[in-house]
Structures are given as structure tokens and as C-alpha cells.
Amino acid sequence: MRHTLSVMVENEPGVLSRVVGLFSGRGFNIESLNVAPTLEEGVSLMTITTVGDEQIIEQIVKQLRKLVTVIKVVDLTELKSVEREMVLLKVNAEDAKRAEILRIVDIFRCKVVDVSVDELTLEVTGDHGKIDALINLLSRFGIKEVARTGTVAMKRALQV
Amino acid sequence: MELTGAQIFLECLKKEGVEVVFGYPGGAIIDIYDQLPNYPFKHILVRHEQGAVHAADGYARATGEAGVCLVTSGPGATNAVTGIATAYMDSIPVVIFTGQVPTPLIGNDAFQEVDIVGITRPCTKHNYLVKDINELAFTVRQAFYLARSGRPGPVLVDLPKDIMQAKAEFVWPEDVSLRSYNPNLTPHIGQIKKVAKLIEKAERPVIYAGGGVISSGAEDELTWLAKSLNIPVTATLMGLGAFPGDDPLWLGMLGMHGTYAANMAINNSDLVLAIGARFDDRVTGKVDTFAPKATLVHIDIDPTSIQKNVAVHVPLVADCKSALSSLKSVIEPILDQTYSEDSHAVWVRQVQQWSETHPLRYNKGGSFIKPQYVVEKVYEISNGDAIVATEVGQNQMWAAQFYKFKKSKSFLSSGGLGTMGYGLPAAIGAQMAFPDRLVVNIAGDGSIQMNIQELMTAVCNDLPVKIVILNNGYLGMVRQWQELFYNRNYCETCMDAQPDFVKLAEAYGAVGFRVTEEKDVVPVLTEAFALPKVCIIDVRVDPEENVYPMVPAGASLADMLLV
Ligand SMILES: Cc1ncc(C[n+]2csc(CCOP(=O)(O)OP(=O)(O)O)c2C)c(N)n1
């Protein structure tokens, strides 16, 4: 199963390689990884999505917690959480197809961020499912390039 | 008053109570060496940096204190890596200080530069590069704290040359705490009660002790538990000595070269108490068939050890000593009502019968000296009081099987990594800590050549270690696998081209003996052990003797090959 881990780390040199090295050294899988500073000085937040059975995920979480530079690890999968990813997509858009693509852009609430004679570049934000659906839909027009940020996530304020 | 980085560093070691430093100088670390004579440490100059780390590791295993080593940048640092990985796998507290090129040169492929923090990230508990002299004292303090606390392990601190030359006030941080590091020491009392209940109900309990019992100092609590409740005890290689090896409840080591009794006990048990052990594959054999009838309780300070290899029923994250004393305080008040003299009597009878019908044995007679016989004699002549280091291979297994360790911290062996070349430097480290004890390195003729240069370290520091080479002319353990599982294809394991070990000893200023007949084993060992000198005893043993019993790799413990 796919899990989303929220990992709070000391923002110091080498911390990313400690985390990534843990995954590669122990044969765990990273699907996406996103890191950036938080409001708290010296602390960064990593969002890691990974796939594995329960025992593997338990090991990943424990091994992450064991790293001296890791402050906190939360598996958001068991919690109610908000997950988003931003993607830039460059898609073929000759005149005949343009209107249809723009309709899809509308439905998915994407933005057109760049236009050329026969291409559109779209910006889309959403959860895993939405992004997959969009890519799926656009693929028949020919997607030329994709750049994804990887998932960022946060647990919802109210947990029942 | 301002001190240089080198002085601050040495002040820190003083504050940490360091007495001995094992090291090797070089350009990047020379500023520390320049100051060393002004400080009260004993510095042991090794002959190879791998030896420095193993010696610090042997010192740590024998004393329970952190071992310290000091090496230069680049090749000095990389030479240390095998030692570091060895300490890491066995959770030994060693603090390694490496010189580094000056900070402005870092990343420029400077002379003798290597990214040692990057290289050792996967084999240290934690590591640091000091980039600011104002962080130096705090970093050293943290390094020792991390190495010693929780699940112990090696910590490396990389010290750039310009930081060692810079000046600052020395401020010793009395307190150390890290927001992200809080090992859980005390057990959950609910879990403890659950374990107590399980023990009460068990008919065929067995204790499986590991190195964690020794590193947490829980030997007395373990012994109390086993003896008061009449529970048989087995241990891993790392756990040898945690429980007296001459006690009737002692089953011997378990696992690949464990005793029949230990492995059958695990196989038939209804409750296994794993204490400070990590279900290593050399212990479990095929995991699905490990202790098939048992409820598994696992006490360990490191949460990652639990549920890693084997699904256990009752996990208990805690320091072993604190968990076992907590268990004792729950059981002791009800001991008389709950347990009688003959609790588990039938079971204990059964396991003892296994010990009697299938003891550790070897074929005596014949024209060759048997290596097991040599280890037995080392045990008898030393009265079981020696500190025994081993190399890796058959020699290691025979030492584990035939030397009955009565006390902990007296068996020094590379368990997790299986590092040939470990034994001699480790013995030197232990002898440094205990100048008056007999320290014996049980070695193979292959392994001893991996760090043979440390003979000089032993000789010139008057550390009279005894090296007993079980010389079979083969890389014996590999030859054994070739014989049993690779159709006797003895490819590159015959090592009969050897140095003359007696002359070699003499060349280094040590004393050499050669033993080729069984009748000479006892007199020569007796003479050598009494000599206050470094001795090599080259014993020519049966070249094709194997270690038995044996569970083939990946097989179930029930499928042992007996002799
Ligand atoms: C550094 C290192 N290289 C290789 C091995 C693989 N290995 C394990 S046991 C062994 C043979 C050891 O031979 P020897 O030291 O003569 O001991 P014996 O088994 O004959 O007692 C080897 C090569 C190892 N454990 N460590």
C-alpha cells in the first residue's frame, strides 16, 4: 500500500542524504520526496511517499525515527490528511485540439501558464487521483514533458 | 583564556574521562598530536588505522567504557572504515576522530581529502563534520553521549585542520540533550505484567540472550530470572558470558553452530524470551520455522530491532537491565506462591537430556591435533578467567563452543560483520585495559595475517597478548562450506604457503612456539601463558576438521547436521 510520511528534520547539511541513504541502503522504495523549510527556524519538513506492506512501513517509520537528525515522523495514511501535488505539463495542442484541451483545463481547474503555436503548458494542483486522471486524459493528445513536485501533505485539523 | 581547537578537543577528552587513545598521526591531525604530550592520555600508536578502531572496540567490549581513536584524513580515515562497520554491527561504543583538510579546501579534491562523513553514514550511529570552532566542544560531548547511550554504537567526528588551529574560549557544555534523540529506557509496566503472566503460564520457556544484556549490564537480573524460575538459557555469539557457561541451565549458543540442546529447546519451546538480541539470520536459520510453537517476547532498546526479521507477539522497548529489574519486581513478591522448586522440571530434564545425548563433541584420537582440544586446554589452563578475542571463521566458532565463558565482557568477537583481522587488535585493546589479566587471541592462520602488523604495537607497549593460531593451512570455514555445499571445490582456500610464524614472532620481538603434537599442547600453552611477553603459539591442527553441529544457511534449526 502507498503511504505518505511527514518527516520533520533538523535543517542541516547532509540530512537529506541520511534519509535517502536509509531508504537505498535498506532496500526501501521512495515514490516521491519533497523537502522545504518550515516556519520553525532550523527545521525542515519532508513529505515522503512510499510503497510497502505493513511490516516494511513500520520498519521505515522506526528507522527514520532512529536517525539522530529526525525530529518527528508521522504516517499520514492512518490519519485524515490533505495531500497535494503540483505538476507542470506540456501538452501538444494543435488548433483542432485546443478547444477540447481547454475544456479539460476548465473541468480540472488547471491553469494555462504558457502558450505556443502548437503547445500548452498547464499547471495543476491536486491529490494523487486527480493528477493521475488528468495525465490519463491528456495523454491521447501527447504529453511532451511533465515536472512534478511530489506530494506535500498535512493532517487535517479535526480528527475524529 | 583562548585555546586552539586542538587544545579544546583534548580538554574535551579529559572531561569525558578518556584514559587511552588508539591512533595514528598524519598531516591533517598533526595539530592534535602536537598538543598530545601536554595531556595525560596514554596514546597507543598502532600500525594500521583498522587496528586502531578494533583496539578501541576491544577496549570498549572489555571495559564497557567508550573506546577512542584518532586518525588522519583521507587514507587514515578510509583505513578505519572496516573497524567502524565492525563496531556498528555489534553496537559497540567507539568514538572515532578523523582529521580533515582545512574547511576552505573541502570539496576540492585536496590532498588526502575524502568525504568520510559521507562514507561512514551507513555504518555509524551518527557522525559530524565540525565547521565552526564554537561548536567543537558541544559536538565532542554529543558524540560521546550518543556512542554510550541508548543502543550504543560508533560515532565519528571529522575535524578540519583549520578548526584545530583556530582559537576560542573553551566552554564545556555540562548538559547534553537532543530534541530528536530520546532513547526509551524504561519499560511499559503493562507489557511487563503481560510478560510475567506469560512466563507463569509457560511450560517450556527458554531465554535467548544477546549482546544487549551485556551492554546494558543486565547479567545479574538475567541470572536471577533464569535461576529463580528454572528457565534454561541460550545466547547468541554476542551474548556469551551474559549467563555463566558452567551453570546446569546453560544450553550453549544457538543458531548455525549452536548446540543441539539450544536449537531443540527453541524448536520445542512454548515461550521464547528474546532479551537484547536481534534475531540475526545466523541465529534463526529459516525464519518461518524459528520457534514454531512459541509465543515470542522481545525485549530490546532499539525499536527497529523489533519486528524486523521475525514477527513477535509481545514487543517491549526498553533497556534490558531496566526491563529485567522491572520484571523481577513484579515476579519476586509472588515467587513462592507461583513457582516451586521443580517448576518446569520436566522441561529442564528434557533439555538437559538433549545436552547429554548430543553434547558438543569431536573425534578424538587420530594423528592430528584437534582444534577443539586446543580450545579446551586454553580454557582449562586459563581457569576460564581469560579474556578471549577471536578472529573469524572456524577458530571463532570453536572458541565460542569450547571455551565456557563464566563472566561477560570476556569474549571479544566480531559477530555482526564477521571481520577477519579483528582479534589481535581487539586483544591489544583489552590488554591495555586489563594489564594483569590473561588475554588470548584464538586465531586462524588466514585471519591473523590480516592485521599481523599489530604484533609490533603489542610488543612495544608491553601488552603480552597470547595468540593461539589454530593453523589448518586453509581458510577453514570457507573450505568447510566448499566441502559441504560446493562439491569439494577447494578454490583458493588452501593457504599452505605461510610465513614461519615462529620466526615472524621473533622478528617482531615476540616469542614464538610451534606445536605439532598433541602431547605438547598443554606444556607449551602453560609456558606461554606464564610468560610476561607477547607470544604466538602456532598449533598445527587437523587441516580438514569441521565445525559441528551446523545448520546450513537458510535451513530450519531443526535440520542440524550433527557430527
Ligand atoms: C575481511 C574478511 N574477508 C573475508 C571473509 C570471509 N571469510 C569468513 S571465514 C574465512 C576463513 C577464515 O580462515 P582462517 O582465518 O584461517 O580461520 P579458520 O576458519 O581456518 O579457523 C573467510 C575468508 C571475512 N569474514 N572477513
Side-chain angles (χ1 to χ4, degrees), chain B residues 19 66-67 73 102 128 143 166 200 203 295 338 510-511 536 554:
Chain B
E19 290 173 5
S73 68
Y128 299 90
E200 205 178 308
E203 285 170 7
T295 303
T338 322
V511 183
I536 288 187

Side-chain angles (χ1 to χ4, degrees), chain A residues 10 12-14 17-18 26 40-43 55 58-59 62-63 65-71, chain B residues 88 117 121 125-128 131 146 151 178-181 302-310:
Chain A
E10 304 280 358
E12 58 178 55
S17 85
R18 280 183 208 282
R26 293 187 180 270
E40 197 175 335
E41 192 161 344
V43 176
Q55 195 226 346
E58 183 181 330
Q59 265 302 308
K62 285 174 167 178
Q63 294 285 358
R65 287 193 178 132
K66 192 164 136 179
L67 292 179
V68 173
T69 34
V70 168
I71 303 166
Chain B
Y88 181 70
V117 168
R121 213 168 263 143
K125 182 169 170 182
H126 195 55
N127 58 16
Y128 299 90
K131 281 191 163 160
L146 286 174
R151 177 177 181 169
L178 287 111
R179 64 175 154 183
S180 49
Y181 175 78
D302 180 358
T304 65
S305 288
I306 293 175
Q307 315 289 22
K308 185 173 66 182
N309 303 334
V310 168

